[in-house]
Amino acid sequence: MTVGARLLRTAMAEILPQTPDWREKAETRSVVEDRMTAFEQTGARLLAERLRFERRQGTPVAPPQKRLVFRKIRGEDEVLDLMTRVLDGTLDAHSRDDLARMSAREAAIRHYEDELAHDRSLRDWWRVAALPDGTPVGFVTPARNDYHPVIGYLAVLPEHRGNGYLDEILAEGTRILAAQEVPRIRAAPAP
């Protein structure tokens, strides 16, 4: 991350409200809209709005549901294949923006190289979620960024969406990080 990006991220964390209901309160709505207008005047454009979720130590973690089995990711090729496949039909604004300019494989490689390849966390934490017969359903990459333990990447393959698997995959990633007795776990899911 560049110095400019870090500066902007730090400034935004200080001046923008951290509540998802900012539109509903006149005092926060005008503050956010004024700042968004200022950004737009510099050529920026709003691409996505995301919520940040946080689990604090001591909060119960959902137990395994037994519909899925979890195993370690077998390596870079497997995670790139899964990342490529999940881009089919994605609703993630950043991924859709990438797909307008490059192939799904190129977007997966770019995301992997820009974020996951440099992750200092244990790759042993990364999990593939599969049906009992071994068919992959999705994956999760529990990690630790420069600030917090995080759910780095969480996805369900297109052919398995709509079955409630996302909750189970998130719970597995949360269990892995909670076992490290960390004070908090953060996630900022795609819209």
Side-chain angles (χ1 to χ4, degrees):
M1 183 181 313
T2 67
V3 172
R6 258 186 259 147
L7 178 62
L8 182 58
R9 179 177 283 169
T10 302
M12 288 172 53
E14 290 296 317
I15 62 174
L16 295 176
Q18 298 295 318
T19 58
D21 62 349
W22 63 268
R23 288 181 184 86
E24 298 165 15
K25 298 177 183 174
E27 64 274 8
T28 55
R29 183 180 181 115
S30 65
V31 169
V32 172
E33 287 177 343
D34 289 348
R35 288 188 174 91
M36 287 170 48
T37 299
F39 280 113
E40 288 169 355
Q41 290 171 351
T42 68
R45 67 179 174 86
L46 180 64
L47 179 63
E49 180 179 336
R50 295 187 178 194
L51 301 176
R52 177 181 293 160
F53 295 96
E54 182 174 282
R55 182 234 177 230
R56 294 193 180 257
Q57 190 173 24
T59 304
V61 180
Q65 298 298 308
K66 310 280 188 216
R67 292 192 313 157
L68 300 174
V69 293
F70 294 92
R71 64 168 173 78
K72 294 178 184 178
I73 288 180
R74 294 184 178 126
E76 183 178 324
D77 288 339
E78 182 178 35
V79 76
L80 283 171
D81 288 342
L82 292 168
M83 290 173 72
T84 301
R85 289 175 60 194
V86 301
L87 290 172
D88 182 21
T90 184
L91 298 179
D92 178 69
H94 295 281
S95 295
R96 289 169 65 115
D97 186 56
D98 286 345
L99 293 171
R101 295 178 281 109
M102 62 187 79
S103 72
R105 185 65 175 193
E106 290 168 330
I109 290 169
R110 181 173 161 253
H111 187 111
Y112 180 84
E113 290 178 351
D114 287 354
E115 295 185 32
L116 297 180
H118 305 292
D119 184 0
R120 294 185 310 268
S121 301
L122 298 173
R123 300 282 169 100
D124 286 346
W125 292 350
W126 296 5
R127 294 290 185 270
V128 170
L131 297 173
D133 68 3
T135 303
V137 166
F139 67 100
V140 62
T141 62
R144 182 175 190 89
N145 66 19
D146 290 338
Y147 310 103
H148 306 282
V150 297
I151 299 298
Y153 201 114
L154 172 67
V156 175
L157 296 169
E159 62 271 24
H160 297 288
R161 291 178 185 152
N163 295 306
Y165 293 135
L166 189 71
D167 293 342
E168 292 179 53
I169 298 170
L170 174 60
E172 177 69 9
T174 303
R175 284 189 292 273
I176 290 166
L177 292 173
Q180 309 306 310
E181 298 185 15
V182 297
R184 73 181 53 85
I185 300 167
R186 290 199 169 156

